[in-house]
Each structure stands twice: as structure tokens, then as C-alpha cells.
Amino acid sequence: MYKVGDLILYGGTGVCRVSEIVPKRASRTAPERLYYVLTPLYQTGTITTPVDNDKVFTRPVISREEAMSLIDQIPNIHAEAYNNQNLQQLENHYKSELESHDCLDLLRLTMSTYRKKEEREQAKLKFGAVDRRYMERAENLLFGELAVALNITRENVQDFIHARLDVAAEAE
């Protein structure tokens, strides 16, 4: 069970702070249950969800050390653009990457969609709406979690990554 103040990843919403844990009844006849009141860091509003909810994925935000290790893996990740003319299959591929809730999968998805975007632009072709939507979603989830783990703003994550990779490349 999380504690008030904990930062967690909540499904597709991304990073949320546990702002309260409150007892509630779903109806007059339902037994009382504990609920988390979550405040998304990068969206407005609040989310109330049962503590024992097994329908929405939750986990603690990665640590600073895990974030740094993930960034250090970037030069060794070979992310190929995923091409599929069938939009349903394309969407299913992207959904499966997002639904793993794994930062490495989100990183691969972000890198592969960036690669696809570059390839399409070089060929003077349009970057698809499905590709763009999932690239933005993966980047928002990944950068939101990295920002919290690294104690920086989400807007500074990309610069932080580039700087760390530049320092690593100079050291080689």
C-alpha cells in the first residue's frame, strides 16, 4: 500500500502523488473500502481509486539511479521504425509497448517513432496521426517519470539526456 505523499505511476495517466487515503462506500449497501486520492503531476484534476484496484496498473516511480541507468543505455538501443500499413495492427503494436508500463519499452517506443518520423520526413512523406499520437504519449509518460526521478522539469529532460550522453561520449 502506498503512503500519502508517494509518487506513483498510475496507468496511462502517468505520475501522480498520493494526496489522501480515505474510507468510502461505493453505495449505501457496499462495504467501506479504502481509496487513494491521486493528484496527477502533469494533468489537472484528481483521481479516486480503490487501494485494492487491480484493473489499473500502478507502481512506484523509478529511482534517480534507475533513471540514470536507463539514460546510459540509450547509445546501445537499436530502435527500428515500426511500419505497418494496417492501422489496427500499428495501433495494437504501440498499445502493447505503452501498456507494459516499463520505462525501457517507453524509451524504445519513443526512439522508434522518432526514427520513423525522420525517415518519413527525409522521404518527403507525411508522418501518420497514429504514429504521432503514440510518440507523444510515450514521450509524455517517459519524460514525466524521468523528470520526477531526476528532480528536474519535464521540459528539461531532453536537454538533460543529451548532456549526459555528450559527457559519456567525450569520456570514451
Side-chain angles (χ1 to χ4, degrees):
M1 188 164 132
Y2 303 112
K3 301 181 304 267
V4 171
D6 283 352
L7 292 169
I8 64 170
L9 183 78
Y10 180 77
T13 302
V15 180
C16 295
R17 182 179 310 280
V18 178
S19 54
E20 290 181 82
I21 302 173
V22 296
K24 281 177 84 173
R25 294 180 193 277
S27 68
R28 287 185 194 178
T29 58
E32 192 172 78
R33 295 168 68 185
L34 287 178
Y35 285 76
Y36 292 122
V37 178
L38 305 175
T39 306
L41 266 55
Y42 304 108
Q43 297 176 26
T44 58
T46 59
I47 299 166
T48 304
T49 185
V51 167
D52 59 356
N53 184 355
D54 60 356
K55 293 181 178 141
V56 179
F57 180 87
T58 62
R59 68 166 167 76
V61 170
I62 62 173
S63 68
R64 179 176 180 81
E65 294 74 26
E66 290 168 317
M68 297 297 259
S69 175
L70 182 70
I71 292 167
D72 292 343
Q73 291 177 53
I74 290 174
N76 300 320
I77 295 173
H78 180 70
E80 286 190 33
Y82 179 78
N83 293 295
N84 194 321
Q85 297 298 318
N86 181 314
L87 291 181
Q88 187 62 48
Q89 289 177 2
L90 180 66
E91 190 143 358
N92 288 342
H93 168 77
Y94 288 152
K95 272 186 190 175
S96 70
E97 293 290 313
L98 279 180
E99 290 173 356
S100 77
H101 304 287
D102 181 82
C103 287
L104 184 57
D105 289 341
L106 291 174
L107 179 59
R108 281 192 199 108
L109 177 57
T110 301
M111 290 174 66
S112 71
T113 51
Y114 266 105
R115 178 168 301 238
K116 185 173 185 178
K117 181 180 181 194
E118 288 174 353
E119 289 173 1
R120 303 286 294 178
E121 286 173 354
Q122 288 173 358
K124 307 270 191 258
L125 297 170
K126 186 179 174 190
F127 186 57
V130 172
D131 298 305
R132 182 176 312 283
R133 184 171 65 247
Y134 280 95
M135 179 180 76
E136 289 170 359
R137 188 77 193 115
E139 186 180 82
N140 284 335
L141 289 170
L142 178 64
F143 284 12
E145 188 163 6
L146 288 175
V148 168
L150 298 169
N151 197 28
I152 60 176
T153 65
R154 190 167 60 172
E155 294 75 30
N156 289 331
V157 169
Q158 199 164 23
D159 290 339
F160 182 94
I161 291 170
H162 288 298
R164 178 147 177 105
L165 295 177
D166 288 347
V167 168
E170 289 173 8
E172 289 180 355

